[in-house]
Amino acid sequence: MANDKMYLVKNRSASMVVYKIPEEGIRREFAPGETKKIKYSELEKLSYQSGGRALMANFLQITDEKVTESLNIHTEPEYYMSEQQVVDLIKTGSLDAFLDCLDYAPVGIIDLLKR
């Protein structure tokens, strides 16, 4: 991965998400639903921070699957669901798909289901 390439990162949770990378003097705040462009090198450094991978796996959505793989962030198919896909699941999805979502989706998707 190119360290200077920018990737879209979105806060899918219902609350603020904040992380720090003290060595670089970086502090980022994401409002609920906010999307930012973040360099791969910053995401990599965040993955080394305590709780960084958990933030990216549960609350922040990195839209490129190759990035999550290279950062060793375990994801299920529900991780990549958009807001519209969540709405479609609730309105027209099968009960099995809904139950799978409840079992395997990250916290950010569960927050979307609640809304």
Side-chain angles (χ1 to χ4, degrees):
M1 297 264 134
N3 281 344
D4 59 345
K5 187 168 181 187
M6 304 287 270
Y7 294 95
L8 293 176
V9 179
K10 182 175 185 172
N11 175 8
R12 291 183 304 186
S13 74
S15 58
M16 292 283 291
V17 173
V18 179
Y19 67 79
K20 288 183 185 180
I21 305 173
E23 302 83 25
E24 301 294 320
I26 295 172
R27 182 179 189 279
R28 296 242 188 250
E29 293 183 10
F30 288 81
E34 183 177 10
T35 301
K36 294 184 180 192
K37 290 182 179 179
I38 307 291
K39 287 184 180 181
Y40 177 82
S41 59
E42 183 175 326
L43 295 172
E44 186 176 40
K45 290 171 186 165
L46 176 58
S47 73
Y48 299 134
Q49 298 297 314
S50 177
R53 280 198 178 99
L55 277 179
M56 291 187 280
N58 292 305
F59 301 102
L60 299 175
Q61 178 189 36
I62 302 168
T63 56
D64 190 321
E65 191 171 343
K66 291 179 184 176
V67 174
T68 56
E69 287 176 9
S70 71
L71 295 173
N72 294 320
I73 298 170
H74 176 73
T75 60
E76 296 289 340
E78 291 81 7
Y79 177 87
Y80 299 101
M81 291 177 75
S82 67
E83 286 87 348
Q84 186 58 49
Q85 288 173 316
V86 171
V87 170
D88 292 344
L89 175 66
I90 292 169
K91 288 183 176 179
T92 61
S94 70
L95 179 59
D96 287 337
F98 182 73
L99 293 175
D100 280 349
C101 187
L102 291 177
D103 287 339
Y104 300 109
V107 175
I109 292 292
I110 300 300
D111 284 348
L112 289 174
L113 286 169
K114 290 177 185 176
R115 278 193 260 155

